[in-house]
Amino acid sequence: MNAPQPTTATMTQQRPAPANGDFTTALKDAGLATLVTFGLSIPILSFRTDQSQANELYLRPRWGLVLVACALVFALRFVLRLYGVRWAAARQVARSRKEAIRTTTEKPRGLAHRLLALAVPVFLGVALAFPLLSYFAAGGLTESRYWVDLGILILTYVMLGWGLNIVVGLAGLLDLGYVAFYAVGAYSYALLSTTFGLSFWICLPVAGILAAFWGILLGFPVLRLRGDYLAIVTLAFGEIIRLVLINWVELTNGGAGITSIPRVSFFGVPFTNEEGGFASLFGLEFSPMHRVIFLYYLILGLALLTNFVTLRLRRLPVGRAWEALREDEIACRSLGINTRNTKLTAFALGAMFGGIAGSFFAVRQGFVSPESFNFLESATILAIVVLGGMGSQVGVAVAAVLMVGGPEMLRNLGFLKAVFGEGFDPNEYRLLLFGLAMVAMMVWRPRGLISHREPSVALGVRKAISGALVKEGHG
Amino acid sequence: MEVFAQQLINGLTLGSIYGLIAIGYTMVFGIIGMVNFAHGDVFMLSAFIALIFFLILTTWLGISSVALALLLVLVIGMLLTSLWGWAIERVAYRPLRGSFRLAPLISAIGVSIFLSNFVQVAQGARNKPIPPMVRDVVVLFERDGYAVALSYKQIIIMVTTAALLAAFWYVVQKTPLGRAQRACEQDRKMAALLGIDVDKTISMTFVMGAALAAVAGTMYLLYYGVVSFNDGFVPGVKAFTAAVLGGIGSLPGAVLGGLIIGLIETLWSAYFSIEYKDVAAFSILAIVLIFMPSGILGRPEVEKV
């Protein structure tokens, strides 16, 4: 059932497309789309339910909004139909040709490939210099805080994406509850530091180990499950952890969360404005930004550590076993690979990095609550991995910048208020557009941004293959 | 005993709603092997459509007969939600057919996020309560001052569920459309070769699933009298749990799974703790899957080399 179905795919592609540039066809098509939009918007957009003083609902018609939506869809569809068809067809041909070449030639050396080789050092350089860049761009240490915070947020997701990539991208196990391990890490640090007063530097590895144990604990019973069953059970585990965090009030303080978690220290030196603090130790003028910038480099280091470990592991027998497991589980078993241990190591390592990222999250926020660990987080991380191209480390980083940085940019669109009126808040549409972008990106590039693979280990010449030839695993 | 009987009735009512949603999951999974993550939000959307049409019918058109209003709401809701189901499949899933397995899943999660936030932006984030439509109850028996009551609402929900299930069962088993659906489920390539319009059949599957979700949404509104934009996720996950529990791909399995999940949830709330009812439902799912990976009525998965 899960296997790609070539006939239906080709059938949809080869359906006789209307003559290109045909004005009436495009008009008809756009009219139809508009009609559907009108139907879709009938009750939900055209009437707004509001509560009156007496707490009773009343309806407020908003046909103007429906008109705008219909006009928008009409224009979009018309333009796409008129000019999009030829472009899409040309791209399709070019792509299929390219894929064919890629799988047969020895060394693909296209422009994209060369850009990709450049991408890694450029990315690393920008990431390393980012606080400096934002310092000059924003014109001051305190002013650059927003940008450095955004950088920290993106890097957290890069690290989570790389962690999940071990489970989903390499071992091919679909995990929809990754946020559970993030939560375990965050609560480990929060609880250990507030109750036992342990320092962050002790808790960081402890949180990773605890999360790895949880990974094994949750991974063990689901070993036999495959495909979407595994997805739904991991989703259920994620929800269970969140619900327990909400309801076990004695331990976790329930929905209110744990507050006043100790801040990070510079390997024991606190970031305070006192004698013996970070600023006085290095003879600097005190600024709260020191801590933020230190956090930035901390998460950058942790993310790079994740990346380094993953890249190294891929060359080890266990990493090769993961990829073999993803390609064909039955063949793996026949060749004597211990699939149980292989799956468990993938779960445990993925969970460990999730837990480390979680304890970083806790120390950065100084506050954890169960609401930070909902399904949306899991979905975002998974979307980053899939959009990145499943198994491609650079792809994950690019996807994290797009998926986390993109919606964040909506906050800066204050000028739209001038267009749509004072009541317009672009932030309200953040998740709506996020959802739309997820659909659009999948339709546009189902194989992710970086859709070709270099082999981890090769005998002689390395042959990159198209991502379409990489399996996605049964589990 | 009385408490148990009452909880049994409540559980079966809740289970009927879950069962209706679960059918949408199970049919889609059976035919294209994807988890339609947005289905829970389609259900929530349909509850909003029902809410708005109920308000239009009662306050603007002045229909005083609740039965007539409910029937009209049900029919309109099914039509409009079907249109949503069709449009979602056309825009978000059809271009990805034949692509690799995770792409439609991510796309579906995207649709789910879009739908719940679309409703939030369009209708506001607050809960939307409506006055109870049906208040009457039938007292089945009474002992020591504790009455076991079956409300008209519950009767309506169970009867509607049973009737619609029968209708859809007939469609799937006896009509050409149902035959095409079952053929596509078994082997899509072969079905296409034999002249079945696979795309149309899949579209119809989504339409049928959405229509049943609309019934569930209307019943949910009738039962609880309140709906909010984030009411789609948890019932959606539970309904999927129900579908998996009953054996995914099996229609009676979905209903059976729904009833079991509904019963577990209400009985757990009544006898243990209401806070952990969802934990109980999800734990049952994990346990069943571990010991019975193909569900209660599902066919065991054959491992092919």
Side-chain angles (χ1 to χ4, degrees), chain A residues 384-460:
Chain A
I384 286 171
V385 173
V386 173
L387 182 67
M390 294 253 297
S392 162
Q393 300 290 93
V394 183
V396 168
V398 176
V401 172
L402 280 180
M403 297 292 270
V404 183
E408 199 60 30
M409 286 301 107
L410 281 179
R411 286 187 206 279
N412 304 336
L413 298 179
F415 67 89
L416 284 178
K417 277 197 175 136
V419 185
F420 292 101
E422 211 31 59
F424 182 81
D425 180 13
N427 210 25
E428 239 178 64
Y429 299 85
R430 200 169 64 95
L431 281 173
L432 190 134
L433 292 175
F434 180 72
L436 272 185
M438 258 162 107
V439 176
M441 282 174 165
M442 278 302 115
V443 172
W444 173 54
R445 294 211 81 149
R447 270 285 162 184
L449 293 171
I450 311 248
S451 59
H452 70 90
R453 291 284 174 289
E454 292 265 8
S456 317
V457 187
L459 186 66

Side-chain angles (χ1 to χ4, degrees), chain A residues 1-9 11-12 15 35-36 38-51 55-62 77 168 172 174 176 221-222 224-233 235-237 239-240 242-244 247-249 330 333 375-376 379-380 382-383 386 390 428-429 431-436 438-439 442-444 446-448 470 472-475, chain B residues 29-35 37 45 48-49 51-53 55-56 59-60 80 83-84 86-87 90-92 94-103 105-107 109-111 113-114 117-130 184-189 192-193 196-199 233-234 237 240-241 244 248 275-276 278-279 282-283 285-286 289-294 301 303-305:
Chain A
M1 206 70 240
N2 290 338
Q5 303 278 337
T7 36
T8 43
M11 265 168 41
T12 38
R15 175 171 290 173
L35 209 65
V36 171
F38 180 72
L40 294 182
S41 58
I42 273 188
I44 213 85
L45 212 57
S46 60
F47 299 102
R48 159 109 187 187
T49 48
D50 278 316
Q51 244 157 343
N55 245 351
E56 272 181 1
L57 288 180
Y58 66 95
L59 293 170
R60 195 153 50 83
R62 296 187 299 186
R77 185 77 192 165
V168 178
L174 180 51
L176 279 181
V222 299
R224 292 198 302 151
L225 302 178
R226 315 180 105 203
D228 300 86
Y229 292 111
L230 182 77
I232 203 75
V233 172
L235 187 153
F237 277 140
E239 282 296 296
I240 288 175
R242 192 175 66 88
L243 290 167
V244 169
N247 291 314
W248 195 357
V249 181
I330 297 169
R333 259 185 278 152
F375 173 69
L376 187 66
T380 310
L382 184 69
V386 173
M390 294 253 297
E428 239 178 64
Y429 299 85
L431 281 173
L432 190 134
L433 292 175
F434 180 72
L436 272 185
M438 258 162 107
V439 176
M442 278 302 115
V443 172
W444 173 54
R447 270 285 162 184
V470 178
E472 65 262 28
H474 298 286
Chain B
F29 191 92
I31 204 160
I32 52 174
M34 87 173 252
V35 182
F37 237 95
L45 186 82
F48 264 90
I49 294 177
L51 171 83
I52 293 169
F53 268 100
L55 284 175
I56 292 176
T59 56
W60 288 1
L80 286 172
L83 188 65
W84 271 98
W86 179 83
R90 188 74 189 77
V91 172
R94 190 179 291 182
L96 292 172
R97 201 158 304 146
S99 175
F100 85 129
R101 191 171 50 106
L102 279 182
L105 182 74
I106 299 289
S107 184
I109 293 173
V111 173
I113 293 172
F114 167 76
N117 285 282
F118 171 69
V119 171
Q120 186 193 1
V121 168
Q123 297 291 334
R126 296 178 64 176
N127 279 350
K128 306 284 176 185
I130 54 164
C184 290
E185 189 180 333
Q186 284 177 9
D187 192 334
R188 238 190 305 164
K189 200 189 284 184
L193 289 174
I196 289 171
D197 189 341
V198 176
D199 279 337
F233 179 67
V234 172
V237 172
F240 186 72
T241 302
V244 171
I248 202 144
E275 288 89 10
Y276 285 102
D278 294 353
V279 175
F282 293 141
S283 307
L285 166 82
L289 274 182
I290 290 156
F291 293 106
M292 241 180 354
S294 51
E301 199 179 324
E303 207 167 71
K304 286 181 200 150
V305 180

Side-chain angles (χ1 to χ4, degrees), chain A residues 89-314:
Chain A
R91 218 173 62 113
Q92 189 77 41
V93 171
R95 189 195 279 173
S96 57
R97 230 180 249 159
K98 216 159 61 184
E99 305 260 284
I101 292 168
R102 256 198 206 140
T103 50
T104 50
T105 53
E106 298 278 285
K107 271 185 169 183
R109 276 285 171 259
L111 180 68
H113 198 76
R114 244 177 257 157
L115 275 180
L116 197 68
L118 262 178
V120 177
V122 167
F123 250 107
L124 206 61
V126 170
L128 278 172
F130 187 75
L132 202 67
L133 290 177
S134 47
Y135 172 76
F136 285 119
L141 208 53
T142 333
E143 286 80 7
S144 69
R145 165 140 200 176
Y146 170 76
W147 292 100
V148 179
D149 270 337
L150 181 59
I152 294 175
L153 188 70
I154 291 175
L155 281 174
T156 313
Y157 278 94
V158 170
M159 176 165 178
L160 286 169
W162 278 339
L164 184 62
N165 201 10
I166 297 176
V167 185
V168 178
L170 295 184
L173 304 161
L174 180 51
D175 187 348
L176 279 181
Y178 191 63
V179 82
F181 308 125
Y182 190 41
V184 166
Y187 270 86
S188 299
Y189 172 60
L191 289 172
L192 287 175
S193 65
T194 49
T195 40
F196 300 112
L198 292 179
S199 104
F200 174 69
W201 298 102
I202 297 171
C203 290
L204 190 70
V206 170
I209 292 166
L210 282 176
F213 272 124
W214 274 93
I216 294 173
L217 205 67
L218 301 191
F220 207 74
V222 299
L223 281 173
R224 292 198 302 151
L225 302 178
R226 315 180 105 203
D228 300 86
Y229 292 111
L230 182 77
I232 203 75
V233 172
T234 47
L235 187 153
F237 277 140
E239 282 296 296
I240 288 175
I241 295 239
R242 192 175 66 88
L243 290 167
V244 169
L245 287 179
I246 292 177
N247 291 314
W248 195 357
V249 181
E250 300 85 59
L251 182 74
T252 65
N253 199 20
I258 300 174
T259 49
S260 59
I261 299 168
R263 298 282 189 182
V264 71
S265 62
F266 184 74
F267 306 107
V269 182
F271 287 94
T272 49
N273 193 10
E274 291 157 9
E275 199 57 38
F278 177 80
S280 71
L281 191 73
F282 287 89
L284 299 166
E285 197 183 325
F286 173 75
S287 159
M289 274 304 288
H290 291 156
R291 190 177 58 82
V292 180
I293 291 177
F294 178 66
L295 281 174
Y296 176 85
Y297 281 110
L298 177 63
I299 187 66
L300 181 62
L302 289 173
L304 289 177
L305 179 78
T306 313
N307 183 29
F308 179 75
V309 171
T310 313
L311 287 180
R312 287 283 149 176
L313 278 173
R314 278 181 69 168

Side-chain angles (χ1 to χ4, degrees), chain B residues 4 14 25 48 62 75 77 87 99 115 123 130 137 184 197 205 215 224 239 243 246-247 272-273 275 285 289:
Chain B
F4 182 75
L14 189 62
Y25 278 111
F48 264 90
V75 172
S99 175
L115 280 182
Q123 297 291 334
I130 54 164
V137 295
C184 290
D197 189 341
T205 310
V215 178
Y224 291 105
F272 300 103
S273 71
E275 288 89 10
L285 166 82
L289 274 182

Side-chain angles (χ1 to χ4, degrees), chain B residues 207-261:
Chain B
V207 164
M208 284 163 73
L212 283 175
V215 178
T218 314
M219 295 299 138
Y220 183 86
L221 187 71
L222 173 75
Y223 196 48
Y224 291 105
V226 62
V227 62
S228 101
F229 75 97
N230 55 12
D231 276 351
F233 179 67
V234 172
V237 172
K238 279 193 200 142
F240 186 72
T241 302
V244 171
L245 191 63
I248 202 144
S250 148
L251 246 72
V255 181
L256 186 67
L259 293 178
I260 293 174
I261 292 282

